[in-house]
Each structure stands twice: as structure tokens, then as C-alpha cells.
Amino acid sequence: MVRHGIFGLAARRALRTGMALSLIGYGIFAAVDARAETVSEALAKAYQSNPQLNGERARQRATDENVPQAMAGYRPQVAATLSYGLQAVRNLLIDNTIQGATLKPWTIGVTVTQTLYNGNKTANSVRVAELQVQSGREALRNVGQGVLLDAVVAYTNVLANQSLVEAQRANVTSLRETLGIAQKRLNAGDVTPTDTSQAEARLARGQADLNAAEVNLAISQATYTQVIGAAPSRLSPAEPMDRLLPRNRDDALNQAFKAHPAVLAAGYDVDVATTTIKVAESSLLPTLTLQGSASKSSQSDPTLGTFGTDQASIVGQLTAPIYDGGLGAAQTRQAKELSSVSRLVLEQVRNQARTAVVGAWVSNEGAKTAVSAAEAEVRAAGVALQGVQREAQGGQRTTVDVLNSQQDLVQAKARLIGAQRDRVIASYSLLSAIGRLDVKTLGLNTPDYLPEVHYHQVRDAWHGLRTPSGQ
């Protein structure tokens, strides 16, 4: 009776620990804490403060400036000149007399040049710049998707590792209690030293597993800070985004081909390369310019015949290239080859998008199965632990049997936590693969960055050195 009573106490404690482990695993991704930070709030922070994303936004604003640079070809070029100096003049006249003077010549003038025709180079250059802006916007959107997905991974990793640490702590507590009971039974002569050695070995393993879990948690917290921009505090559970996902794989592929930013950016790059051919061909066409100038000069006549001169002129000039050494032809051929490259890149990107969608789809479906299997494993391991504990109370099982059964439950719980994490990440990965992982689709409580605002601010700017933000 004493033997059964002592072991029964250990069994009840181990059973409570096993039940606690089960609750930890199920609760980490299922319970809701209104005071904790949600995944949506973390994503909003990353969207606003992530340095990689903000760097790409600055790069896109720089790309916007290509448009006003190209549009400068439509506008007149105005240049002013001013000169001043000293000039000594000594003229020998026909009657052998010498005329000399020290002049202080100065000239002031202004010249206005307007290109009337340049083989449509300006129009095509503007078109190229606008297409580059469109491509850049899609590239920016793709980077935004990557940052949001990284944020989801960082968030769920912290959640999962926190859960694993709690599970390992509970396991160590249970193993320490089991070791204490085994030592008491050894002192009472109920068991051999083998039982205590086995319990000590399992406790040492549990402490090592706890240490590894704490190390992984610290690493995941540092990664979270890097991606999100702030250290993690209390985090609410993350749920899969099934409500935003397509109904079947074909629908997912269609959405990716139509809306994925990488595919759209590659399509714009094809248009850029095609239009660049026309820009290269323009160098082989004539150029027509109109130039007006006005100037005023004083003491600039070395013959001393005039004191000052006022001039004004309007000149039209037509320049037709005849032979430039083959430069224009080579540039045109080069542009055509680059256009072929861009089409091949587009096809490659489409293939990559197809592969990404298929991979994300099957991963998401597989994650659902993995979670169901892990939940079943945890339930079965819990029932098995209870059975082994009851049998141990009747003397049909040994201490090592209880330890093994408890270890099976801990490992099953770790697999469930990993499966739940993978389930959330897989759903967001599929959303990213179809090109819909963005602020608007997720409904994040943060202003959406609109690159077209800066574009319209600078597109028709005729002057000004400061950026719209005041830099």
C-alpha cells in the first residue's frame, strides 16, 4: 500500500503535468489575450518602420525623377552669358599712324533653344521613364510582400518558441518531481539505483532541451526586433488566413499570373525594352531646333570702330545624320537583343510564379493535415501516459515506462506546436504567392504607402532642388 501510494502521487503529478503540456500547446495558437499585441499590429509596425522596405520606397522615389528628366526634352533650354575683361588694342592705320586704347569689354546675353523634332526621342524617353516607374512600383510591392511575410515568420517563431520553452519547463518540473519520488523509493528499498539513474538521465536531457528552447527563443526574439522594429512583448495567437485564399489551385495560378507584382514588373520591363529600341533608332533621324538669342556688348570691337553692339537673332537648324561610325545601328541592335532578353525573363518569372503557387498550395494543404495528425498524436499520447501511469500504480509498469510515455507526449506536443506555426506561415505564403499579401487585403490598421503621390508631385516640376519631403 505504501508503494502504491508513493507512486500514485508521482503518477498524479505527472498526469497533471501532461495535461498542462497539452493545454500549453493548444492554447498558444488558439487562446485570445486582448491585452497582447496581435499579428496585424506587428505587421503594421513592420510596414511602417522596416528599413529594407523604406529603402525601396526611397529607391522608387528616385525612379520617379526619371520622368521629369525625360520631359525636359520638351521644354526650352535657356542659358545666360556674362563676360568682362581687359583688352589692350594697338592698331596700325594706313597712314602709318598708330591708334591704341585699353578696353574693358563686357558682354551679356541670353540664348533660348527649343527642340522641335528629334526623331520622337523625347516622347519615347518619357514613355520609357513612365514604364520604369510602373515596374518599380510592382517591385516595391513585391518587397513589401516579402517584408510582411518575414514579419509573419518572425511573429509565429516567437510564439512557437515561447510555447516550447513553457513545455520544456513543465517537463523539467515533472522530471525533477519524478526523480525525487524515485530517490525516496530507493531509500525505502522499493526500487533499485537503476530507476534513479534513469530519472537523472531524463532530467539532464530535459534541462538540455529547455536550454536549447531558450536559445531558440532568444534568437527568434532578436529576429523579431530586426524585422518588426520593436522587441516582442506579449503576443496574441496568429490564425491562418484561409478566408483570403483562393478556392482551388487553378484559381490561385490565375490570380498569380494576373496580380503577382513580380510578373507585372517583368511585363513592364518588356515594354521598357521594346520602347528603348525606338529611342535608339531616333539617333538615326534628323533633328530640328529653333534658337533665339539676344546680347549686348560694350568695347568689344578691337578695331575701335564701335563702342557697343546690340544683337538679336532667331535661327532654325536642321541636322540630319549621314554616318556616325555605326554607333546608332549598334545601339539599335543591342536594344533589340535586350528586348528579347526581357521576354525570356518574363517567361522565367511566370514559371517561377507557377512553381511558387503550386509549392505554397501543397504546403498549405499539407500543413492542415500535419496539424490534424499532430493533434491526434497529442491526444493519443496523453491517453497513453494516463494508462501507463495507472499500470505503474499496479506494478505492471516501471519508472522508465512512465518516463518514456511522458517523453512521447512532450515530443508530440513539440510537433504540434511546429505544425501550428507552419500552418499559419503556409497560409500567408500562399497569399504572397498569388500577390495579395498587402495592407489592403489584410486590412491592417495603417496608412497604405501610395507611390503615385510622390510621382505626381515631381512629374511636372519645372524647377526646385528640394524633394517633396523637404530634403
Side-chain angles (χ1 to χ4, degrees):
M1 292 298 294
V2 175
R3 178 184 304 169
H4 290 173
I6 295 176
F7 198 90
L9 176 61
R12 287 193 295 273
R13 289 177 176 175
L15 176 59
R16 288 196 299 270
T17 302
M19 295 175 63
L21 291 176
S22 180
L23 290 175
I24 289 172
Y26 284 112
I28 196 65
F29 285 96
V32 176
D33 187 352
R35 297 169 298 174
E37 183 179 44
T38 65
V39 65
S40 295
E41 292 171 344
L43 292 180
K45 286 183 181 179
Y47 186 76
Q48 291 295 335
S49 62
N50 185 270
Q52 178 188 2
L53 185 54
N54 285 331
E56 290 300 320
R57 289 167 179 166
R59 188 191 306 275
Q60 178 60 24
R61 291 193 295 271
T63 302
D64 291 341
E65 297 291 351
N66 289 338
V67 176
Q69 291 177 26
M71 293 190 68
Y74 284 128
R75 299 164 186 164
Q77 307 295 311
V78 182
T81 58
L82 174 64
S83 64
Y84 179 81
L86 293 175
Q87 183 177 14
V89 178
R90 185 172 182 274
N91 295 328
L92 179 62
L93 303 181
I94 297 178
D95 58 357
N96 290 326
T97 60
I98 296 176
Q99 184 183 44
T102 300
L103 303 179
K104 298 179 179 180
W106 58 266
T107 301
I108 185 171
V110 61
T111 301
V112 180
T113 304
Q114 176 65 58
T115 299
L116 302 179
Y117 178 75
N118 58 1
N120 292 324
K121 180 179 180 179
T122 299
N124 289 319
S125 296
V126 171
R127 179 61 177 163
V128 167
E130 290 175 338
L131 290 170
Q132 288 173 339
V133 168
Q134 295 293 333
S135 176
R137 289 178 186 175
E138 297 302 328
L140 173 61
R141 193 160 67 91
N142 197 34
V143 172
Q145 284 202 147
V147 168
L148 291 178
L149 185 58
D150 289 342
V152 170
V153 173
Y155 188 97
T156 53
N157 279 342
V158 171
L159 276 177
N161 288 327
Q162 285 176 343
S163 180
L164 288 173
V165 167
E166 293 301 321
Q168 294 297 341
R169 284 176 180 169
N171 182 45
V172 168
T173 300
S174 177
L175 291 173
R176 187 173 287 115
E177 292 177 353
T178 301
L179 175 60
I181 296 299
Q183 288 174 339
K184 290 180 180 179
R185 294 183 65 196
L186 176 63
N187 295 334
D190 294 334
V191 297
T192 66
T194 302
D195 293 81
T196 57
S197 298
Q198 291 170 336
E200 289 175 351
R202 291 301 177 88
L203 177 59
R205 181 193 299 179
Q207 291 171 334
D209 292 340
L210 173 59
N211 178 71
E214 290 174 338
V215 169
N216 290 334
L217 175 59
I219 294 174
S220 64
Q221 289 172 335
T223 304
Y224 181 100
T225 304
Q226 174 186 344
V227 176
I228 306 298
S233 54
R234 298 189 62 181
L235 304 182
S236 292
E239 296 291 337
M241 301 302 294
D242 292 340
R243 59 185 176 83
L244 301 176
L245 299 179
R247 294 169 295 179
N248 52 62
R249 187 191 305 188
D250 291 338
D251 188 18
L253 288 171
N254 290 333
Q255 291 188 36
F257 290 153
K258 293 179 181 179
H260 196 282
V263 176
L264 297 179
Y268 284 120
D269 289 341
V270 171
D271 295 335
V272 168
T274 302
T275 309
T276 302
I277 297 175
K278 299 179 181 179
V279 175
E281 291 175 341
S282 65
S283 65
L284 303 175
L285 299 176
T287 301
L288 177 62
T289 60
L290 182 65
Q291 186 178 82
S293 63
S295 65
K296 181 179 181 61
S297 62
S298 177
Q299 300 185 41
S300 59
D301 183 3
T303 66
L304 304 180
T306 59
F307 181 78
T309 302
D310 296 333
Q311 292 183 348
S313 65
I314 297 179
V315 178
Q317 182 177 4
L318 177 65
T319 303
I322 298 177
Y323 182 66
D324 61 353
L327 176 62
Q331 291 175 338
T332 301
R333 294 194 304 270
Q334 182 184 53
K336 290 180 179 179
E337 294 293 350
L338 293 176
S339 177
S340 299
V341 171
S342 67
R343 295 181 187 278
L344 294 174
V345 170
L346 173 59
E347 186 63 25
Q348 180 183 3
V349 171
R350 284 175 175 169
N351 291 334
Q352 291 173 345
R354 180 184 297 106
T355 302
V357 169
V358 172
W361 180 269
V362 297
S363 295
N364 189 53
E365 294 300 312
K368 296 178 183 178
T369 303
V371 170
S372 299
E375 290 173 346
E377 181 184 7
V378 169
R379 287 192 296 268
V383 173
L385 176 60
Q386 297 178 34
V388 170
Q389 290 167 342
R390 285 193 298 267
E391 293 172 358
Q393 295 179 34
Q396 299 176 349
R397 294 280 186 169
T398 63
T399 301
V400 71
D401 292 328
V402 177
L403 293 173
N404 287 339
S405 185
Q406 183 176 338
Q407 186 67 25
D408 290 341
L409 178 59
V410 173
Q411 292 175 350
K413 184 50 55 186
R415 284 189 285 271
L416 175 58
I417 293 171
Q420 290 171 326
R421 176 199 59 201
D422 295 342
R423 172 80 173 87
V424 174
I425 294 175
S427 66
Y428 278 91
S429 297
L430 179 54
L431 197 62
S432 175
I434 63 177
R436 297 187 59 201
L437 187 58
D438 51 48
V439 170
K440 184 177 180 180
T441 302
L442 297 177
L444 301 182
N445 186 22
T446 181
D448 193 2
Y449 181 81
L450 303 175
E452 57 269 21
V453 172
H454 178 268
Y455 169 78
H456 290 296
Q457 288 174 333
V458 302
R459 184 183 189 278
D460 296 315
W462 282 57
H463 60 85
L465 301 180
R466 289 188 175 274
T467 64
S469 62
Q471 296 183 358

